[in-house]
């Protein structure tokens, strides 16, 4: 299956080149174009390096045997002869599961094809679901050739029709998410009411080609490209480099494909909707109780049964998730983020944030922030 995050990786490489003290000449060859061995002046080039997505042993061996400094940014192979920078695919699956769990889903499924990346994503998803006490239905598709895409959609539609209602479904890539979206339409299954879909990669193109737009885990592809360029730079200097570097995902980018609450209890659903809309107002539990005709103890018991958290814990979770998003995808100051997420001040915000993430807000921003706002 083709990858969909190559442009973001290339942007990361370009960002490193701009920040580097060396004059890099970046070349993006067309498919099957020979690798460059000379500079634009025709002189033999002694510092050519390659950043590649070698997804087969043949590709990996071909590049390694040439002896040119190279870094692999594909995690499809179990092992690579080249230094490798890749996403934390197990963590991507875990984040996808947690997003659906937070929305009240208790039925889960994942469709995946052959390849280490997609197996790891499905495994992380299933493990997190099981840890919550739920079952995950797995649909292994094997390898999928482009000529099989029509039959693939029909197979996926048949599989989706057999799932109980509602089910949260992991698409192990955004391209698979697009296929699942098409399959839902073919089967007459409404998204997200009948099936909630979440992909991985956060490819803007694939996510917005799906109908409705696809929620996706942002794998931090640009950072993968940046780190790969940094390792290639060290190789060109003759310095030692790690064999494998894992880049954690930035988080879940929520779109319409998961914009539903899978909760049967109407009081819990009302409470969750209120918290989602107003957690950062600020909001307290007493205000939530004004929206439902039950006691605090009853609501706490029902919410704990439905999502594993009390109203107070859910308010805190939504605030912290909002804070994470603002830290990564905006240039708002820490003081402003503290105010916008319902905290009394920066000290209270920083204490709560570090208590739950292990990082201060500033450290979290430095590690995960989108280069678009740097």
């Amino acid at each position: 299956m083709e990858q969909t995050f190559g442009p973001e990786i290339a942007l990361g490489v370009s960002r490193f080149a701009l920040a580097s003290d060396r004059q890099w000449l970046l070349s993006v060859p067309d498919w099957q174009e020979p690798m460059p061995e000379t500079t634009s002046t025709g002189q033999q080039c002694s510092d050519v390096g390659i950043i590649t997505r070698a997804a087969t042993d043949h590709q990996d061996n071909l590049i390694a045997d040439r002896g040119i400094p190279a870094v692999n940014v594909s995690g499809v192979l179990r092992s690579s002869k080249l230094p490798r920078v890749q996403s934390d695919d197990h963590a991507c699956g875990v984040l996808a599961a947690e997003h659906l769990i937070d929305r009240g889903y208790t039925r889960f499924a994942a469709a995946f094809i052959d390849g280490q990346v997609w197996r790891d994503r499905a495994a992380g998803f299933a493990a997190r679901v099981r840890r919550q006490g739920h079952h995950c239905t797995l649909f292994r598709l094997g390898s999928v050739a482009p000529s099989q895409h029509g039959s693939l959609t029909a197979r996926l539609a048949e599989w989706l029709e057999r799932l109980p209602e509602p089910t949260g479904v992991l698409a192990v890539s955004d391209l698979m998410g697009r296929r699942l979206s098409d399959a839902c339409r073919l089967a007459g299954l409404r998204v997200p009411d009948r099936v909630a879909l979440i992909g991985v990669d956060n490819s803007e193109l694939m996510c917005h080609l799906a109908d409705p737009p696809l929620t996706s885990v942002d794998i931090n592809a640009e950072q993968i490209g940046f780190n790969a360029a940094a390792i290639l730079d060290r190789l060109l200097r003759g310095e030692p480099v790690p064999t494998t570097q894992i880049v954690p995902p930035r988080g879940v980018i929520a779109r319409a494909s998961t914009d539903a609450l899978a909760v049967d209890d109407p009081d819990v659903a009302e409470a969750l909707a209120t918290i989602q809309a107003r957690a950062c107002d600020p909001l307290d539990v007493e205000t939530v109780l004004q929206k439902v005709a039950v006691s605090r103890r009853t609501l706490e018991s029902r919410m704990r049964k439905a999502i594993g958290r009390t109203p107070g814990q859910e308010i805190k979770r939504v605030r912290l998730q909002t804070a994470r998003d603002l830290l990564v995808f905006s240039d708002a100051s820490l003081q402003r983020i503290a105010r916008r997420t319902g905290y009394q001040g920066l000290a209270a915000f920083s204490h709560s944030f570090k208590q739950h993430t292990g990082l201060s807000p500033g450290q979290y921003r430095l590690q995960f922030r989108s280069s678009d706002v740097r």
Side-chain angles (χ1 to χ4, degrees), residues 279-295:
C280 299
D281 278 354
L283 179 76
D284 58 24
V285 177
E286 294 303 320
T287 304
V288 175
L289 288 169
Q290 294 174 10
K291 296 290 185 177
V292 295
V294 296
S295 68

Side-chain angles (χ1 to χ4, degrees), residues 29 140 212 299:
R140 182 178 177 274
L299 182 60

Side-chain angles (χ1 to χ4, degrees), residues 110-132:
F112 67 100
I113 63 173
D114 284 335
Q116 191 64 37
V117 168
W118 301 293
R119 284 195 298 270
D120 286 349
R121 291 175 181 179
F125 182 82
R128 180 64 183 88
V129 165
R130 287 194 295 268
R131 195 160 73 247
Q132 196 70 16

Side-chain angles (χ1 to χ4, degrees), residues 6-70:
E8 287 79 11
I9 288 178
L11 284 173
V13 174
S14 176
R15 181 160 60 84
F16 177 86
L18 290 172
S20 174
D21 60 354
R22 289 155 61 96
Q23 296 297 315
W24 279 32
L25 175 64
L26 301 179
S27 174
V28 183
D30 292 332
W31 180 246
Q32 293 185 334
E33 181 181 332
M35 290 181 287
E37 299 195 24
T38 62
T39 65
S40 59
T41 62
Q43 297 176 328
Q44 191 68 26
C45 185
S46 61
D47 59 354
V48 167
I50 300 170
I51 294 175
T52 180
R53 291 189 299 175
T56 68
D57 289 328
H58 174 71
Q59 293 170 340
D60 194 67
N61 292 332
L62 185 66
I63 296 171
D65 291 347
R66 294 194 64 169
I68 298 174

Side-chain angles (χ1 to χ4, degrees), residues 322-341 346 349 361-362 365 369 373-374:
T322 304
R324 289 189 184 98
D325 292 343
L326 290 170
L327 288 167
V328 173
F329 298 107
S330 84
D331 59 357
S333 68
L334 299 186
Q335 290 88 347
R336 187 178 179 190
I337 292 173
R339 291 195 301 270
R340 287 181 62 181
T341 51
L346 180 57
F349 166 58
R365 168 169 273 176
R369 189 177 190 185
V373 297
R374 279 195 175 100

Side-chain angles (χ1 to χ4, degrees), residues 213-236:
L214 183 68
T215 293
S216 186
V217 179
D218 187 327
I219 66 169
N220 214 352
E222 193 172 331
Q223 193 63 46
I224 291 173
F226 185 94
N227 291 7
I231 289 177
L232 181 60
D233 186 58
R234 290 172 61 183
L235 285 172
L236 292 169

